[in-house]
Amino acid sequence: MSFDLSVIPNKNIVLAVTGGIAAYKSAILVRRLKDAGFNIRVVMTHGAQAFVTPLTFQALSGNPVHTELLNPEAEAGMGHIELARWADLLLVAPASCDTLAKFANGLADDLLSTLYLATKSPVWVAPAMNQQMWAAKATQRNLNTLVEDGVHVIMPDAGSQACGDIGLGRMPAPEDLARQVTEYFHKAQRAIAEKFGMLAGKHVVITAGPTREAIDPVRYISNHSTGKMGFALAAACYAAGAKVTLIAGPVSLDTPNGVRRINVSSAVKMLETSMQMLDEGCDIFIATAAVADYRVAEVAEHKIKKAGDELNVALIKNPDIVATIAQQQKRPFMVGFAAETRNVEEYAAGKLVAKKLDMIACNDVSRPDIGFASDENAMIVFFAEQYQMQKRDLEKASKQEIAQQLVEAIHDALQHEIEPV
Ligand code: C5P
């Protein structure tokens, strides 16, 4: 199971292109669906091939195009029954009047109409035709039948048509269709996660990125944290069915799908926001933020002017956010991170105890291939003694994969009934 919601992995779409001028838009649709991570196989009716060549779709989809029902060579590759089973969605775009009529009446005289009868997958049709043909009683009758049969009809847009008419019948833009399809799979994946997800019903709060400690109105102290690990964790927790709040320091990352993001700047503000989350009810607190250990004692009201050869700025200690939350009476399950350059395991195990955490994930940031700005990470996870769980080695992998394994580790620890500390 993958938790990355930014793209839809391992889902198969059979895109059926039928005869109509809108077929050219389907070429772009293949691109957009591929961008979203779908595997695409294209079926073309004979009519469609009068508008666009199969070669176009072969090049764009990266798969041979299916055109014939009774072609032994094609059937030997991936036969129509196999194709029907392969599909997680049969998307017919554009869907001609003729195709709608065939579907509505159960005809099976070509590859597409046979596929329609043979597949168990959801079927979506995006009708595209002349406005008068769309309005024709027979077309509307067929559409009603298809809706009753469980087919999802994507309504055509209104506007000027290739034939010169103005009215309903234009296929929606490929970007719009791709968005609708992606949203459908996200929702389906989400529904499964909510039902069976490892963190279903939990509110997870995650701190991420650096903090920024002002020196004067134009200068600050900060660090190189990019927030990637925290953002990957937010996506993984959401995909595992949790409600997720991400308290983010200044980073330039897009908010993961479904995640509530609260932007903060300083450590003090990050703590204040974290405490508010406790009031809202928080089950799991994950501290990935690289919080500045010190802040400027007195932030200058105006820009500090250049003067002597030396400038001394007094610093005072910032609150430890994760340790403060862990001390609260109604504390969530606490997860900390430790970035070390030496004695990694020893220091991490020490922090687990000192900060009263339930779990800590540590990594060796002296390794140039993992850590802060890298897209990959490798970690060792320790659990508090009362869980009686073995430490886990998470081998070098993408931050998304590491995030998924951390979600599993949290889930497993939560299964252990422990006495409150
Ligand atoms: O002590 P150290 O900074 O190495 O601890 C790292 C862990 O503590 C991380 O989980 C980090 O997010 C958290 N932390 C915090 N507030 C601080 C310092 C660290 O929440 N002021």
Side-chain angles (χ1 to χ4, degrees), residues 305-339:
K305 288 286 169 204
K306 235 180 303 193
D309 288 343
E310 274 184 29
L311 173 69
N312 292 310
V313 179
L315 301 179
I316 51 168
K317 203 152 193 194
N318 260 332
D320 191 309
I321 299 169
V322 79
T324 310
I325 303 286
Q327 278 162 17
Q328 306 304 307
Q329 216 187 2
K330 251 189 88 191
R331 57 174 254 152
F333 181 87
M334 299 297 303
V335 184
F337 278 72

Side-chain angles (χ1 to χ4, degrees), residues 211-222 265-266 294-300 313 315:
T211 63
R212 197 177 266 185
E213 311 298 333
I215 298 171
D216 65 18
V218 293
R219 304 181 180 96
Y220 57 80
I221 299 172
S222 193
S265 187
S266 66
Y294 293 90
R295 70 177 182 279
V296 175
E298 267 179 56
V299 180
V313 179
L315 301 179

Side-chain angles (χ1 to χ4, degrees), residues 207 287-289 291-293 318-322 336-338 340 351 355:
T207 64
T288 66
V291 183
D293 289 325
N318 260 332
D320 191 309
I321 299 169
V322 79
F337 278 72
E340 304 292 345
K351 277 177 196 168
K355 298 190 187 218

